[in-house]
Amino acid sequence: LLAHHRLVAPFDAQVVTRHAEAGTVVKAGDAIFTLIDPATVWIQAYVDEERAGQLAPGQPGTIRLRSQPSAEFHGTIIRIGLESDRVNEERRVWLTCADCPAEMFLGEQAEVRILTGTRASALMVPEVAITGFDGHRGTVWTVQDGRLARIGLTFGARDDRGRVEVAGGLPEGAAIVTSPPRGAAEGRRAHLSEAP
């Protein structure tokens, strides 16, 4: 009878929560322990839908745990949620962690950065310099032949510093104004100066 009531975990597990103490009366189906396999701990991240289009399983990511903000760990996307959160407009992404600490705390907040691609070179513009930006197209101020002009451009990838890649539409010899002056108007004379 005693052997019939012995609890055996189906895998080598670690007890996370004990729902009942010795001597407690439990019914069939009641949870007694919550178990995890420490080797299968995943990091769950929420990614804005606007930035989630280039995500794919296998992409590398860096992970910073709130309890260790100065340490950087490395992970890989293992799964991407099939359903977005309709309220927050976010997609759930799960990463495995290759070198995370042996002792992980479930539910701890983490910051995740996922590398979706690299460029040998790219013309990058601060997103704040783009008006009417819809994630693909927008308008910027440029200097062409010594005069201000507004033109529409198409944009590509974003980086983690708030910059967007110019993908097309920039005329030959035109320069993008990253900080338009007050009173900027079409055709007004302008000259370029490098940011300090």
Side-chain angles (χ1 to χ4, degrees):
L1 187 63
L2 184 61
H4 179 69
H5 290 86
R6 180 173 294 147
L7 295 175
V8 180
F11 55 90
D12 290 337
Q14 182 175 348
V15 175
V16 176
T17 308
R18 182 186 294 229
H19 300 282
E21 298 297 328
T24 304
V25 176
V26 293
K27 303 186 299 294
D30 282 357
I32 299 174
F33 298 109
T34 298
L35 308 175
I36 65 162
D37 178 356
T40 62
V41 173
W42 289 358
I43 310 294
Q44 178 177 294
Y46 295 88
V47 180
D48 191 305
E49 287 176 333
E50 195 175 345
R51 296 175 179 253
Q54 298 178 349
L55 295 177
Q59 289 174 332
T62 57
I63 301 160
R64 288 186 189 276
L65 300 174
R66 191 166 189 188
S67 61
Q68 300 183 41
S70 61
E72 189 174 272
F73 305 101
H74 303 88
T76 305
I77 293 180
I78 197 72
R79 188 170 81 195
I80 300 172
L82 295 177
E83 184 176 15
S84 290
D85 185 311
R86 292 174 178 83
V87 177
N88 297 328
E89 299 176 348
E90 294 173 328
R91 192 164 298 149
R92 286 187 295 172
V93 178
W94 288 266
L95 295 90
T96 57
C97 190
D99 56 358
C100 279
E103 189 176 26
M104 293 284 288
F105 294 92
L106 304 182
E108 180 177 346
Q109 292 185 22
E111 177 185 295
V112 174
R113 292 175 186 242
I114 299 167
L115 180 64
T116 59
T118 58
R119 305 276 194 275
S121 64
L123 176 60
M124 305 297 285
V125 178
E127 192 172 333
V128 295
I130 308 168
T131 55
F133 185 50
D134 64 2
H136 178 62
R137 297 181 191 279
T139 305
V140 296
W141 283 101
T142 62
V143 175
Q144 301 178 59
D145 301 321
R147 298 197 177 271
L148 286 173
R150 288 179 61 80
I151 60 169
L153 301 177
T154 56
F155 299 94
R158 299 181 188 191
D159 67 9
D160 58 359
R161 297 191 300 183
R163 302 180 307 171
V164 186
E165 175 191 20
V166 175
L170 187 65
E172 189 72 31
I176 297 173
V177 179
T178 57
S179 300
R182 285 187 180 172
E186 290 269 355
R188 185 173 177 179
R189 283 195 173 277
H191 68 276
L192 298 173
S193 64
E194 293 293 327

